[in-house]
Amino acid sequence: MGGGKDFGGASMVSGDFSLVGFSSDEAVSNTSNGSFTMVDGKVFGYDKSSDGDAIISKSLADFNALSVGDTISVADPNDTDTTYQLTIVGIYKNSTDSTQQMGGPMASNASDPANAIYTSVSTLRSLGLDADADTDSAARLNYTYVFSSKSDYEAFCEDAINAGLDDDYAVSSADVENYESSLVPLNNLSKFALTLLIVVLAVGGVVLVVITLLNVRERKYEIGVLAAIGVNKVKVAAQFTLELLIVTMIGLALGACAGAVASVPVSNQLLASQIEQQQSQQTNQREQFGRDMQGSADGSGTGAQDSGNANDSSNSTDSQNSDSASNQNSAMPGKGGNGPEGMMDRAVNYASSVNATVNLTVVGQLLLVGLGLTLIAALVAVVFVLRYEPLQILADRS
């Protein structure tokens, strides 16, 4: 039976099980405990003809020797004299284990995914446990919205704020947050690569200018002879520019080929190092600051990475939860996992590999870089060529 917990004089009642009601198949597919599959029986219906039908987890069924067709009696943790009769019409098995339950004094058996009893909103309404019921055990509403892309989710956040959402409330998505967290090592690698690219381009530009200056100085007599026989200085400068451009393009071609071959293994090695560093940092934070004790700010919400949740805002209802306690068995399977309490630390699956390709866009960018460096170096060569006086050069030579 669920008991009360005392926190400095304030008592909080916690049940052993979570009674979760759904209004549609779409709501079931986005259950806060993650995806599941039916191993026996069938899923309940959503109309009044299915009132009292429920499905339980395989762990719960095996632990309590329950099967399809059995009737269980669930007690109200706020009033143990009040019980609710439910008929087991199906047994499911959780297929996602992605989280850890929050520890500390706030932990309860009801937050264990294996202790979630699924039924319909109609059943909760018939038992007087829906959101409109004026009781301590009334259900709380979780609003789940599914979007086709992250940009649609961001547009929804703006719409919610523009519609007048108070500053005390926030719109968040566990999936978007997990998605963005999974890209942290990749973004770090991208910043590192960008910094390295800028340094390489800067050094390469300086080296190219220096080599051009040395080349012009070494061929100073050639420039004087060409100018002395009537060749326009502009044509002489264009010759240096063309030579420089040919050398630069050959270098870019060789560099692109070498980069295409080496980029994938090198990038994956660097990414693995970034992932290890990120995981080590998170572990240190948990050990030093008790991050496992903190609740998630995004409420309950699952699905693909493009789904979002709006907590504490009034919109269409997908599911209703009610904590309850069983008066048949006081023992439950072990705690752990992502319960409907929404107070857990989600695991993050980091992007672990990079597939680098040299496409037309990359080739175009390389050409622009090559042209830019060539123009800078050629400008220096042109300045020096135009400053030279052919007669003075020949006189110095003789």
Side-chain angles (χ1 to χ4, degrees), residues 317-328:
T317 304
D318 276 344
S319 63
Q320 304 186 32
N321 299 343
S322 177
D323 288 343
S324 304
S326 170
N327 63 2
Q328 286 187 333

Side-chain angles (χ1 to χ4, degrees), residues 363-380:
V363 173
Q365 292 173 346
L366 288 175
L367 289 176
L368 290 176
V369 171
L371 289 174
L373 293 177
T374 301
L375 290 176
I376 293 175
L379 182 61
V380 175

Side-chain angles (χ1 to χ4, degrees), residues 22-322:
F22 297 97
S23 58
S24 65
D25 288 337
E26 185 179 8
V28 173
S29 66
N30 288 283
T31 173
S32 58
N33 289 331
S35 60
F36 64 88
T37 55
M38 297 298 298
V39 296
D40 193 14
K42 61 181 181 179
V43 180
F44 47 83
Y46 304 106
D47 52 18
K48 291 184 178 181
S49 62
S50 298
D51 285 354
D53 292 348
I55 61 175
I56 62 175
S57 68
K58 188 176 185 301
S59 301
L60 188 60
D62 293 343
F63 193 86
N64 295 281
L66 296 172
S67 59
V68 174
D70 290 347
T71 300
I72 57 176
S73 180
V74 182
D76 190 329
N78 295 289
D79 181 10
T80 54
D81 293 331
T82 302
T83 59
Y84 312 102
Q85 302 298 319
L86 298 172
T87 301
I88 301 174
V89 296
I91 297 175
Y92 69 88
K93 181 179 181 180
N94 287 316
S95 56
T96 21
D97 296 320
S98 60
T99 60
Q100 296 178 349
Q101 181 185 13
M102 187 194 78
M106 294 293 290
S108 70
N109 294 328
S111 61
D112 186 348
N115 292 336
I117 302 174
Y118 295 153
T119 185
S120 65
V121 172
S122 179
T123 295
L124 294 185
R125 188 176 295 111
S126 67
L127 298 177
L129 295 175
D130 64 322
D132 296 329
D134 188 18
T135 65
D136 293 335
S137 299
R140 106 185 148 184
L141 301 182
N142 295 329
Y143 305 98
T144 302
Y145 303 84
V146 182
F147 305 99
S148 59
S149 65
K150 184 172 178 288
S151 59
D152 289 342
Y153 161 73
E154 293 172 347
F156 171 81
C157 295
E158 294 181 1
D159 291 342
I161 295 175
N162 294 335
L165 184 66
D166 192 271
D167 293 338
D168 295 333
Y169 299 93
V171 181
S172 63
S173 167
D175 300 311
V176 171
E177 291 171 2
N178 283 348
Y179 169 68
E180 292 177 343
S181 298
S182 69
L183 297 180
V184 169
L186 195 60
N187 291 333
N188 291 338
L189 178 61
S190 177
K191 293 178 181 177
F192 171 75
L194 180 60
T195 303
L196 183 62
L197 175 63
I198 294 175
V199 172
V200 169
L201 289 178
V203 174
V206 172
V207 170
L208 193 59
V209 170
V210 172
I211 292 176
T212 303
L213 288 177
L214 293 177
N215 186 34
V216 171
R217 289 175 63 88
E218 288 293 327
R219 298 170 64 181
K220 186 177 181 181
Y221 180 72
E222 177 186 341
I223 297 172
V225 171
L226 292 174
I229 63 177
V231 178
N232 194 304
K233 288 184 178 182
V234 175
K235 290 185 178 180
V236 176
Q239 176 186 339
F240 279 90
T241 303
L242 182 60
E243 293 174 358
L244 189 61
L245 180 61
I246 293 174
V247 174
T248 305
M249 291 299 105
I250 294 175
L252 283 176
L254 294 176
C257 294
V261 174
S263 60
V264 173
V266 172
S267 297
N268 286 329
Q269 186 66 29
L270 292 174
L271 182 58
S273 176
Q274 291 289 338
I275 292 175
E276 184 179 356
Q277 180 181 354
Q278 187 71 16
Q279 290 175 335
S280 176
Q281 181 180 357
Q282 289 184 341
T283 301
N284 291 336
Q285 286 178 338
R286 292 190 184 102
E287 292 176 350
Q288 297 177 13
F289 305 106
R291 291 300 177 93
D292 284 337
M293 296 290 292
Q294 296 185 3
S296 170
D298 48 47
S300 63
T302 59
Q305 67 184 36
D306 55 3
S307 66
N309 300 333
N311 297 332
D312 303 317
S313 61
S314 298
N315 288 285
S316 60
T317 304
D318 276 344
S319 63
Q320 304 186 32
N321 299 343
S322 177

